[in-house]
């Protein structure tokens, strides 16, 4: 297939895979798409190891890196706080409420050794642009084909440095004004992500958002994201004016994904009605699987979620405690388990390889385009 983005990045198909799993990123790149590794939770050392591994697996084929660089977060005015100050800002009332919730579901505290390790891990948590700089340096060292960022227009220094290294920059937008701000900052690819998508999302549907963004940022290429997992959905995205598709959820039930067995099981069984946009994991609205956890945060007696990154700090320990015991068949913690996923979860009914997902999408897209073309010539009626 040929589009502005296949040409820009030297890929066979305009299919982009956002993933936290290096195996998925490598598999999608090797299948002719572009694997993009979500690196927000990586240390620079881990990122270096993972990018080296992906480069070995993909033998010169292109892959990208994605970072969350929020414009708005607690402490943004002063350039961010250190981990200890952030921890001290979490109200006791919130901690007590979570403790009661976990108690209700019989979730025990972490063993001391694990709790200590967790505390040390939190010391490295930095979501401000300065905190991301070492990760960006590692990405540049590996000559990644694309740097993507979410939760705001990427800082000008990032765009300038990427361009000085000949690396295109992509940025996610959930609203028209965000897309225009990205274009004005020099972003090379705008990813228009509809509310159906997994992870942080806005309120506008992909079908409505994409054509508006395409028109507003032209000639900057646009990728459609949110609700795309099949060839028919890909063909629809191209019909809306997108140059390609950016998918996140569909990879979570592939063979290569590191998704835990409990989450995988829940995803395979879920319908498209089983997701919620909730601030309960990060403080910003993000689409995830509905569970006893999201329901509890929607109760009138629940405290209001905190700002980013305080909410993540508040819930990190609780999430680890839930996942630690939820894998047991009869675990009382199972109902609490949730994870980011979009409405396409209802279409994810069978585990398959990432390569097959790419192949099915391409074949399904071509079939859909042929079917629509046949309507023009009248061929569509000949078989009926
Ligand atoms: C588990 C998960 C985590 C995500 N985390 C990020 C992230 O760190 N950075 C980012 O740019 N997008 C993130 N997203 C959003 C994806 O990049 C993508 O826009 C979205 O998944 C597209 O919609 P879909 O889920 O319907 O495919 C995440 C999505 C999921 C499912």
């Amino acid at each position: 297939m040929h589009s502005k983005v296949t040409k820009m990045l030297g890929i066979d198909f305009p299919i982009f895979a956002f993933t936290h799993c290096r195996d998925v990123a490598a598999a999608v790149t090797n299948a002719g798409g572009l694997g993009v590794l979500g690196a927000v939770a990586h240390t620079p050392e881990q990122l270096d190891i993972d990018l080296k591994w992906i480069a070995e697996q993909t033998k010169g084929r292109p892959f990208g890196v994605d970072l969350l660089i929020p414009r708005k977060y607690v402490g943004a005015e002063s350039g961010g706080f250190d981990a200890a100050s952030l921890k001290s800002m979490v109200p006791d009332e919130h901690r007590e409420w979570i403790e009661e919730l976990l108690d209700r579901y019989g979730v025990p505290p972490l063993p001391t050794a694990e709790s200590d390790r967790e505390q040390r891990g939190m010391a490295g948590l930095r979501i401000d642009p300065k905190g991301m700089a070492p990760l960006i340096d590692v990405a540049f060292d590996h000559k990644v084909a694309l740097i993507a960022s979410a939760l705001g227009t990427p800082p000008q220094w990032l765009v300038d440095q990427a361009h000085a290294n000949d690396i295109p920059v992509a940025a996610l937008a959930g609203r028209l004004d965000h897309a225009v701000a990205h274009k004005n900052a020099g972003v090379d690819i705008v990813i228009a992500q509809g509310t159906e998508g997994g992870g942080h999302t806005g309120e506008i549907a992909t079908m409505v958002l994409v054509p508006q963004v395409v028109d507003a940022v032209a000639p900057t290429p646009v990728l459609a994201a949110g609700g795309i997992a099949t060839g028919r959905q890909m063909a629809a995205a191209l019909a809306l004016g997108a140059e390609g598709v950016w998918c996140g959820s569909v990879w979570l039930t592939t063979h290569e994904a590191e998704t835990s067995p409990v989450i995988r099981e829940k995803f395979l069984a879920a319908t498209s009605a089983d997701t919620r946009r909730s601030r309960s994991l990060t403080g910003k609205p993000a689409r995830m699987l509905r569970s006893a956890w999201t329901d509890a945060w929607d109760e009138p007696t629940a405290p209001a979620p905190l700002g980013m990154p305080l909410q993540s700090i508040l819930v990190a320990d609780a999430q680890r405690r839930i996942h630690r015991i939820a894998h047991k068949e009869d675990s009382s913690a199972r109902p609490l388990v949730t994870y980011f996923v979009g409405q396409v979860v209802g279409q994810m009914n069978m585990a398959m390889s990432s390569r097959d997902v790419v192949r099915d999408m391409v074949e399904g897209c071509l079939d859909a385009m042929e079917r629509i073309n046949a309507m023009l010539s009248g061929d569509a009626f000949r078989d009926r």
Side-chain angles (χ1 to χ4, degrees), residues 8-9 140 143-147 158-169 188:
M8 184 190 291
L9 296 158
F140 286 160
K143 306 233 171 321
V144 294
L146 182 74
I147 298 246
L158 171 59
V159 177
D160 294 344
Q161 274 188 34
H163 288 170
N165 283 276
D166 280 334
I167 299 173
V169 178
D188 306 279

Side-chain angles (χ1 to χ4, degrees), residues 18 20 40 66 68 150 172 193 196-199 225-228 246-249 252 339-342 344:
F18 170 88
H20 289 123
V40 68
D66 175 284
L68 285 181
L172 275 81
Q193 194 215 25
E196 309 83 316
I228 300 162
W246 173 276
C247 311
S249 295
L252 294 168
Y339 194 62
F340 304 113
V341 76
V344 294

